[in-house]
């Protein structure tokens, strides 16, 4: 069957999550640099089509915990350190999706799909 | 409204495309190394959940054209050089999606959504 | 032969350039988002060892020229759009290195090596 | 002072390490896909100037250990899982450099610098 408008809106939401994660995973990060990195992640992904809003929170508490347990004074960005919400508007459909830790896995999920 | 099974299948397809593109964009590539890169792209993304099949074709003709027009003997991977097809199976829904150039833009799109 | 202190300082400078380029190449960017991206690039790489200072300038004029020649309203970060200077201090040796376009190639080069 | 030939050879070696690490860190990987990823890493970086040889070994034992301790059946590539050796030849200077874990930190280092 052909894709519907909500199908495409959900596909677009997924693209943004995969892009955000794999563009920025591995970036050197510390509590001192987390604010500028979060802002760049938001603004870069908001360039992509149909992407109304991106909110990235880098969890400084988790960064501090990671740094306390290792020798270096910075670490690499990975899912453990970020909460993300993305809003997509595509031809009257609105999708809200988020990423957060689910146990030890950074789970990306659809929170709400408003159909046109 | 809550997401349906096809919504999530389409979201998962999008995640794979965004991941593949932004993990590997920028990789140094030439006709001599394109086969190993294509294979690594396929096998790495097939690790992700619900991802049944990934097919990546790196277009050596486009690589040759790019190299003929520049000074260096390699270039950076970007959408112009790749055709991709991804198949997702999620709780009885099947999604086939692809990426190819649409004029000057690497368009990722849903080709078929089979609902459970 | 064993590496000298200046050898290692130059090696460290190279690591920072390769890291910066391949972490951020492919990031969606437009004149509206270039300032936050440049700042994140600087602050993330400054986390790395022996890295005293990183200066990234994203060339909005080149971005505008690229956008005028294509259909999408953003592009992907690549060497054409950035000028970079990095300063390394390693055990009394100071290295200043930079990246800028050399014809059509983003050339990374050592500008100055001050030996201890 | 102006850079010497060995300075530049060491700088080039660093570029290759930073490139390799930050291009591929975050790639989904499992014991089933590690061989193709290692090969793509080698061949892509060998495209870069002055890079004679790249050897990447992905440590399947470390991958197995990581997978045994988590819920997902794949993980993200990071320094813990890879040993790398890179050989640079630049205007008669030869540099051999490597990356391996030093405690909990993926240490990149110069092993040998042969001056022209």
């Amino acid at each position: 069957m052909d894709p519907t408008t909500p199908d495409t809106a959900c596909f677009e939401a997924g693209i943004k999550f995969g892009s955000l994660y794999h563009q920025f995973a591995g970036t050197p990060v510390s509590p001192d640099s987390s604010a500028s990195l979060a802002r760049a992640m938001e603004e870069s992904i908001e360039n992509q089509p149909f992407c109304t809003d991106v909110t990235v929170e880098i969890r400084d508490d988790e960064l501090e915990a990671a740094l306390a347990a290792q020798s270096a004074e910075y670490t690499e960005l990975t899912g453990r350190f970020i909460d993300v919400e993305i809003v997509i508007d595509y031809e009257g459909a609105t999708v809200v999706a988020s990423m957060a830790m689910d146990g030890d896995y950074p789970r990306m999920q659809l929170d709400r799909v408003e159909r046109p």
Side-chain angles (χ1 to χ4, degrees), chain A:
Chain A
M1 291 169 62
D2 286 345
T4 64
T5 294
D7 287 345
T8 301
C10 293
F11 180 64
E12 290 290 337
I15 292 171
K16 276 62 179 171
F17 269 96
S19 298
L20 181 144
Y21 197 89
H22 287 273
Q23 183 62 58
F24 293 102
T27 303
V29 66
S30 65
D32 284 350
S33 70
S34 61
S36 64
L37 181 56
R39 184 101 180 131
M41 293 170 75
E42 292 172 345
E43 293 196 358
S44 70
I45 301 301
E46 285 173 352
N47 281 309
Q48 293 188 333
F50 318 116
C51 189
T52 307
D53 196 51
V54 179
T55 310
V56 174
E57 188 183 348
I58 299 186
R59 298 185 56 179
D60 283 347
D61 58 334
E62 283 289 323
L63 283 178
E64 300 281 9
L67 299 191
Q70 66 170 52
S71 59
E73 288 168 23
Y74 69 99
T75 187
E76 297 172 15
L77 191 72
T78 188
R80 168 183 173 193
F81 302 121
I82 45 178
D83 293 321
V84 183
E85 187 179 87
I86 293 180
V87 181
I88 298 292
D89 282 300
Y90 177 77
E91 294 189 3
T94 300
V95 172
V96 181
S98 61
M99 189 179 82
M101 292 308 283
D102 176 8
D104 62 3
Y105 190 76
R107 177 84 49 204
M108 301 171 184
Q109 66 181 15
L110 293 172
D111 294 327
R112 212 167 69 238
V113 180
E114 292 172 16
R115 298 162 208 285

